[in-house]
Amino acid sequence: MLQTKLVNEELKAWTIQQRRHFHMHPELSGQEYKTAAYVKEKLAEFGIPVDSRFSAPNVVAYFKGTEGNKTVALRADMDALPLYEEGDKPYISTVPGVMHGCGHDGHTAILLAVAKWMSSHPQLVKNNIVFIFQSSEEASPSGAKQLVEEGILDGVDVIYGIHLMANLPIGKIGFATGFAMASSDDFDITIEGVGGHGGQPQDAVDPIYIATHLIQGFQSVVSRNLHPLQAGVISFGGMQAGNSYNVIPSEVKLQGTIRAMTFEAAELMHKKTAQLTESLCASFGAKGHYTFIEGTPPLYNHPKACEFAKRVIDDTFGEDVFEKMDPTLGAEDYSYYLKEKTGAFINVGMQSEKSQYPHHHPKFDIDEDAIPTAIELMIQLALNVK
């Protein structure tokens, strides 16, 4: 566990208590009303006003700095996952089929702890602070997108967010600079053919046969249209067609995901998959119906914000703590904030025996020894922006 300068054992214990409360009472994306009410209750205790202009169940609060030359936004996500939790921890989820399997309970508690610390040390906080307790990171429509459209970043100079990471060793803090995480968009496809007898395919337009070509053809978008130095992936996750041995169905439904590491690659892959669906299906005498489901854009960590964060990490915890990370094709709707404003998304390591299961696993848990590091990091980032 890293040594902290501002976070004491009392604040650590308080934060763990809050985190366990959230863990025991998880709520799915867009349904975090009890969580939001609890957050508002704590902010009221701290004397930090909540801004009612933003849609529920998001919670946005403002802390006025002593100088107010800069405004720093700090974000935590609040939603849980549709998972049945496994294990025997004393703070296991009390809601069947819903659990905090990605660390959002920790993120919410950590940001509350930052607010608590600032309310106790107002003379040390020169910058204005925007606390963003965000709904719906795990599902669409995105809570981040909604808040950005509602003007959450108006007047904000820089934004920082953290993620407790089970695949980064405890005691390490890291991120990738530039494009750090992929876009995540989905698609639905219906191939409309002509059904018929399995023994008389000449009288049918077989949508299953066409689907096999379309699945193969989509891979050419990555291998032959996308720049070889740009990362991207197209994966099919579902196919529904027919229910008989000797009947050619009249239609096939496909679904899948598109991931890309740049805005340009995401746009190209969307355009090409739509064109390919229509043209390839038409070449076989069928109709292809393509529906694009917009998800999240690529996450771009701004170099200046990353450089500043690296200095803060080195000065606060030591030069051996930072770990340069590779980009990942995972996605995160924090990208909506970084598409509009300078900032960075930072990973706080918690990989240990207690946190041995990956994110979104039914036995996932947080190593709570990582919590003070995350609180300290967010405080130091907010205090030192100039």
Side-chain angles (χ1 to χ4, degrees), residues 178-374:
F179 286 105
M181 300 183 76
S183 63
S184 177
D185 301 308
D186 297 329
F187 59 83
D188 286 318
I189 295 172
T190 298
I191 302 174
E192 183 182 342
V194 178
H197 195 288
Q200 297 173 326
Q202 73 279 6
D203 297 326
V205 177
D206 186 350
I208 293 179
Y209 178 72
I210 298 167
T212 65
H213 285 269
L214 192 63
I215 292 169
Q216 293 292 325
F218 268 32
Q219 302 312 313
S220 72
V221 175
V222 175
S223 65
R224 289 296 177 266
N225 295 120
L226 193 64
H227 192 290
L229 297 181
Q230 290 185 343
V233 66
I234 300 173
S235 294
F236 284 84
M239 179 176 180
Q240 297 83 42
N243 55 10
S244 177
Y245 290 105
N246 64 348
V247 175
I248 295 172
S250 60
E251 71 173 27
V252 168
K253 293 184 179 294
L254 302 169
Q255 59 195 56
T257 188
I258 298 173
R259 304 290 176 108
M261 286 303 298
T262 68
F263 300 113
E264 295 79 12
E267 183 178 356
L268 180 145
M269 293 168 77
H270 170 204
K271 179 181 177 181
K272 290 293 184 179
T273 51
Q275 290 176 343
L276 193 57
T277 299
E278 181 179 355
S279 61
L280 191 146
C281 290
S283 71
F284 284 98
K287 293 181 180 179
H289 306 281
Y290 180 96
T291 302
F292 181 75
I293 305 167
E294 183 181 8
T296 58
L299 188 149
Y300 182 78
N301 273 337
H302 296 258
K304 286 187 178 180
C306 290
E307 182 181 350
F308 167 74
K310 171 71 163 52
R311 287 201 308 270
V312 168
I313 293 166
D314 290 347
D315 292 345
T316 305
F317 303 107
E319 295 184 359
D320 60 339
V321 169
F322 176 76
E323 184 164 316
K324 183 179 179 181
M325 300 183 71
D326 293 326
T328 173
L329 286 171
E332 162 62 69
D333 79 346
Y334 188 85
S335 58
Y336 280 107
Y337 302 118
L338 297 180
K339 192 176 179 182
E340 303 297 326
K341 290 287 181 174
T342 297
F345 192 57
I346 302 171
N347 299 296
V348 177
M350 62 167 191
Q351 184 184 67
S352 68
E353 184 176 350
K354 183 178 181 183
S355 183
Q356 60 183 291
Y357 294 99
H359 298 266
H360 295 212
H361 190 283
K363 290 186 178 180
F364 173 87
D365 200 6
I366 289 173
D367 188 327
E368 293 168 333
D369 281 340
I371 284 176
T373 300

Side-chain angles (χ1 to χ4, degrees), residues 13 23 33 38 68 82 94 116 124 170 211 234 270 279 288 302 326 350 362 383:
H23 193 89
Y33 289 97
Y38 188 91
T94 60
K116 179 178 173 65
L124 299 180
I170 193 165
I234 300 173
H270 170 204
S279 61
H302 296 258
D326 293 326
M350 62 167 191
L383 294 185

Side-chain angles (χ1 to χ4, degrees), residues 28-43:
L28 294 174
S29 303
Q31 303 175 25
E32 310 97 320
Y33 289 97
K34 291 181 180 178
T35 303
Y38 188 91
V39 168
K40 289 179 181 179
E41 178 184 320
K42 294 302 177 184
L43 291 171

Side-chain angles (χ1 to χ4, degrees), residues 35-254:
T35 303
Y38 188 91
V39 168
K40 289 179 181 179
E41 178 184 320
K42 294 302 177 184
L43 291 171
E45 291 177 11
F46 307 153
I48 300 177
V50 171
D51 192 328
S52 60
R53 293 177 299 169
F54 299 97
S55 56
N58 298 291
V59 179
V60 178
Y62 288 87
F63 188 94
K64 186 172 178 58
T66 58
E67 296 181 3
N69 294 329
K70 294 286 185 179
T71 297
V72 182
L74 304 173
R75 175 268 206 169
D77 36 17
M78 301 189 295
D79 51 335
L81 291 162
L83 288 172
Y84 282 90
E85 186 166 17
E86 298 176 4
D88 58 358
K89 60 178 75 76
Y91 47 88
I92 197 165
S93 171
T94 60
V95 184
V98 184
M99 74 166 286
H100 274 291
C102 200
H104 297 187
D105 51 340
H107 304 163
T108 303
I110 288 162
L111 191 56
L112 269 182
V114 174
K116 179 178 173 65
W117 185 92
M118 289 185 177
S119 69
S120 300
H121 304 83
Q123 72 282 2
L124 299 180
V125 187
K126 296 180 180 180
N127 295 316
N128 299 322
I129 309 298
V130 182
F131 296 101
I132 303 173
F133 296 88
Q134 181 206 306
S135 166
S136 301
E137 189 279 323
E138 296 283 3
S140 184
S142 157
K145 181 182 180 183
Q146 182 179 37
L147 285 172
V148 168
E149 290 173 349
E150 291 174 359
I152 187 67
L153 296 177
D154 293 349
V156 168
D157 294 291
V158 64
I159 181 168
Y160 285 100
I162 59 100
H163 202 301
L164 297 169
M165 288 300 293
N167 62 352
L168 183 66
I170 193 165
K172 292 289 186 180
I173 303 172
F175 51 79
T177 300
F179 286 105
M181 300 183 76
S183 63
S184 177
D185 301 308
D186 297 329
F187 59 83
D188 286 318
I189 295 172
T190 298
I191 302 174
E192 183 182 342
V194 178
H197 195 288
Q200 297 173 326
Q202 73 279 6
D203 297 326
V205 177
D206 186 350
I208 293 179
Y209 178 72
I210 298 167
T212 65
H213 285 269
L214 192 63
I215 292 169
Q216 293 292 325
F218 268 32
Q219 302 312 313
S220 72
V221 175
V222 175
S223 65
R224 289 296 177 266
N225 295 120
L226 193 64
H227 192 290
L229 297 181
Q230 290 185 343
V233 66
I234 300 173
S235 294
F236 284 84
M239 179 176 180
Q240 297 83 42
N243 55 10
S244 177
Y245 290 105
N246 64 348
V247 175
I248 295 172
S250 60
E251 71 173 27
V252 168
K253 293 184 179 294
L254 302 169

